[in-house]
Amino acid sequence: MTGGEYRESLRRRQPLKIYFQGEALEHPLDHPLVVASVNSAALTYELAGDARHRELATATSALTGRTISRFTHLHQSAEDLIRKVRLLRLLGQKCGTCFQRCVGLDGLNAVFAATFAIDRKQGTGYHRRFVEFLKQAEAADWMIAGCMTDVKGERRKRPHQQADPDLYLRVVARRADGLVIRGAKAHQTGAVNSHQLLVMPTVAMQAQDRDYAVCCAVPADAEGLVYIYGRQGSDLRKLDCSEAGCIDCGNWRYGGQECLVIFDDVFVPAERVFMDGEHEFTGALVESFAGYHRQSYGGCKVGMGDVIIGAAACIAEYNGAEGAAHIREKLVEMIQLNETLYGCGIACSALGQPTPAGNYLIDLLLANVTKQNVTRFPFEIARLLQDIAGGLIGTLPSAHDLASPQTGPYLQKYLRAAPGVSVESRVRMLRLIENFTLGRAAVSYLTESMHGAGSPQAQRIMLARLADLEDKKRLARELAGIKD
Ligand code: SF4
Ligand code: FE
């Protein structure tokens, strides 16, 4: 699809039940908050149609041989995994926020391998079903929301031990023609902008959690789905932004999106059920999905980092401080941190290996290192950006004051800094910086860096498990000449 066709396709869905600030949105696709997030997701379609980016944004389908979006592609090589990271960096550079389509891509690759493993061990027919779903996804160029994170209730308890059994999504009825599921998925990136929701379990399950071990797909407009739109810092600036280009938004064109998605007894036809009760396979599915998404952050956050470093360099110029040695030093530090994240994203891709199902999986240990670094470096990069920008990012008067005949002349006089730089340019750059570190994009650049694809501790558990400490001890003993 082109970007325009993608937007049109969203309008062809049945009306979605979307709530924001306690009210149902009657025309959600025209709501300024939603428009900005659709704009970001639409970029993934626009790039695929752009000859300069086709190599990154499209791929050759392993299922049909057709040219498809890379966002519906089963990775066929380590090179494919590297291209994905490069594509995500490019998209992050273009929109400066979350473009929302990678979760579905990561889910497709993880479920492809998981259904293959279940069928091989248990003789089920999930993989064939999933391949049919994937063929449709490729042909229709669907945007797929990957729905993993349950709300999880009391954290120390397993799904079946919770006081309310719906705190993890579960099967509440099995019918001859399919399943009925109930629960809620939190922080659902791009859910409102998607065509399909790919539901996956959120933790490794045990036998008593059988009803929670469910993986399936439902259309985003399925009966029983309720979307409660998440707030982001300064989100309402978008509402008093009367014309495109509103200065105070910082980044008026693009925004991210996360919702709490309620599955209020949603029917799933049998051909869209990819796991029902096979709890032994949930751990591997969660690990590979999380691994792919941890790799993703070595791309998207780096692209946003590129814009941030550019903003830091610009505002230093606009303030007339670009020649200072400490500014140059801080910019170099930001570059070093940002490229380290990229290096990790590329490394875990380059060491990717084929799964038994035939698609490629990243190196899990290095993908977890990537994301662990992402929980730290963007915060340091953002700190340096705020340092270079100066205190005005916290005290800047509004665009209305700039336009007002009473206050505008004062601001024109007293906010002037480097010669040849207009006050408006300086204000616009400061607003972009505010957007990244305190406003809407701070969710994408900071909160997601911390918690997206799993909170820091989730990676540390994986690092401890995957690092083979016994082998490292053996190496030390050998060199020290210890025989026993
Ligand atoms: Fe893609 Fe990054 Fe958004 Fe995840 S956080 S969906 S990887 S842009
Ligand atoms: Fe994310």
Side-chain angles (χ1 to χ4, degrees):
M1 283 191 274
T2 64
E5 286 164 346
Y6 163 64
R7 288 171 216 272
E8 279 310 305
S9 71
L10 295 180
R11 291 186 189 277
R12 283 198 298 275
R13 301 173 304 178
Q14 294 301 311
L16 269 51
K17 260 195 206 158
I18 306 173
Y19 291 87
F20 180 64
Q21 291 195 297
E23 283 177 20
L25 296 184
E26 254 188 71
H27 302 287
L29 292 173
D30 299 322
H31 191 280
L33 282 188
V34 184
V35 169
S37 64
V38 171
N39 287 346
S40 318
L43 267 181
T44 68
Y45 291 90
E46 286 157 15
L47 247 56
D50 182 333
R52 289 168 301 170
H53 303 302
R54 210 165 284 151
E55 185 224 344
L56 287 187
T58 65
T60 303
S61 166
L63 303 176
T64 65
R66 292 217 174 104
T67 300
I68 55 167
S69 164
R70 187 166 297 282
F71 283 98
T72 57
H73 183 51
L74 295 169
H75 312 295
Q76 295 300 298
S77 61
E79 190 52 46
D80 262 352
L81 291 166
I82 291 173
R83 284 200 191 100
K84 172 192 157 187
V85 172
R86 290 173 56 208
L87 172 62
L88 268 47
R89 182 173 189 169
L90 180 66
L91 282 159
Q93 291 171 344
K94 290 202 176 289
C95 66
T97 189
C98 168
F99 36 90
Q100 308 145 51
R101 206 175 167 195
C102 334
V103 196
L105 167 64
D106 295 337
L108 291 178
N109 274 276
V111 175
F112 182 77
T115 50
F116 184 87
I118 302 173
D119 285 5
R120 198 165 60 167
K121 188 118 182 257
Q122 314 220 331
T124 38
Y126 294 128
H127 193 61
R128 180 195 49 74
R129 276 183 195 171
F130 184 72
V131 168
E132 281 313 308
F133 170 71
L134 191 49
K135 280 184 186 163
Q136 286 182 45
E138 288 183 358
D141 206 358
W142 280 333
M143 169 150 163
I144 297 172
C147 297
M148 177 167 276
T149 308
D150 284 291
V151 289
K152 296 190 292 219
E154 193 180 342
R155 298 305 197 264
R156 83 190 90 184
K157 290 188 172 161
R158 311 287 316 164
H160 72 276
Q161 296 168 328
Q162 297 286 335
D164 180 337
D166 300 334
L167 292 177
Y168 285 75
L169 184 138
R170 65 184 178 127
V171 177
V172 289
R174 290 186 177 79
R175 302 182 352 200
D177 54 349
L179 305 175
V180 178
I181 56 175
R182 184 189 303 159
K185 294 286 189 181
H187 331 303
Q188 292 307 298
T189 300
V192 165
N193 305 345
S194 296
H195 304 98
Q196 296 280 328
L197 310 184
L198 179 59
V199 175
M200 296 168 280
T202 199
V203 289
M205 306 278 178
Q206 298 169 350
Q208 303 101 309
D209 300 320
R210 201 182 161 274
D211 288 340
Y212 297 89
V214 59
C215 175
C216 59
V218 293
D221 57 2
E223 189 75 35
L225 285 172
V226 179
Y227 300 84
I228 307 177
Y229 214 91
R231 299 212 61 176
Q232 296 176 327
S234 304
D235 51 5
L236 295 190
R237 293 227 190 140
K238 207 87 193 74
L239 302 186
D240 67 38
C241 164
S242 48
E243 64 202 59
C246 168
I247 293 174
D248 281 355
C249 288
N251 178 355
W252 55 270
R253 218 176 301 152
Y254 300 111
Q257 176 205 109
E258 269 88 21
C259 294
L260 178 67
V261 183
I262 315 289
F263 293 72
D264 193 4
D265 290 3
V266 174
F267 174 68
V268 189
E271 68 270 18
R272 291 287 164 82
V273 176
F274 312 128
M275 171 193 283
D276 175 19
E278 290 80 8
H279 63 91
E280 318 89 292
F281 297 89
T282 50
L285 171 57
V286 173
E287 268 175 27
S288 75
F289 169 79
Y292 282 123
H293 208 55
R294 288 167 194 175
Q295 170 215 25
S296 296
Y297 280 34
C300 80
K301 301 296 176 251
V302 180
M304 293 179 72
D306 290 326
V307 186
I308 285 174
I309 294 166
C314 283
I315 200 65
E317 275 174 34
Y318 296 178
N319 289 346
E322 79 274 21
H326 76 96
I327 297 281
R328 287 202 303 273
E329 182 48 41
K330 282 164 189 163
L331 289 171
V332 168
E333 178 70 10
M334 293 165 90
I335 292 165
Q336 145 78 14
L337 292 169
N338 202 44
E339 298 300 336
T340 300
L341 297 179
Y342 189 53
C344 289
I346 294 294
C348 70
S349 308
L351 295 188
Q353 292 287 329
T355 70
N359 60 338
Y360 267 62
L361 178 67
I362 51 336
D363 181 280
L364 276 177
L365 176 61
L366 292 185
N368 278 278
V369 171
T370 306
K371 175 64 213 314
Q372 181 74 187
N373 284 339
V374 169
T375 65
R376 298 170 180 177
F377 296 0
F379 288 84
E380 181 61 9
I381 293 171
R383 188 184 72 78
L384 290 166
L385 175 65
Q386 287 209 351
D387 177 348
I388 292 172
L392 256 188
I393 56 160
T395 63
L396 198 58
S398 76
H400 296 293
D401 295 305
L402 206 56
S404 149
Q406 281 78 39
T407 50
Y410 287 128
L411 297 180
Q412 287 296 343
K413 176 177 163 69
Y414 289 112
L415 293 186
R416 197 158 290 279
V421 178
S422 70
V423 167
E424 185 185 319
S425 297
R426 189 165 176 237
V427 167
R428 279 183 181 276
M429 193 54 68
L430 287 164
R431 287 294 177 211
L432 180 71
I433 293 170
E434 182 193 36
N435 182 264
F436 270 122
T437 58
L438 300 164
R440 282 189 80 186
V443 175
S444 297
Y445 193 61
L446 298 176
T447 314
E448 278 188 12
S449 287
M450 182 65 78
H451 294 292
S455 306
Q457 194 57 23
Q459 291 109 57
R460 300 190 78 78
I461 291 168
M462 289 298 288
L463 295 185
R465 172 135 35 99
L466 294 169
D468 198 353
L469 203 53
E470 284 311 313
D471 191 55
K472 296 186 196 309
K473 282 159 69 180
R474 182 187 57 74
L475 296 172
R477 281 196 305 266
E478 253 174 47
L479 273 188
I482 298 169
K483 299 256 171 354
D484 55 347

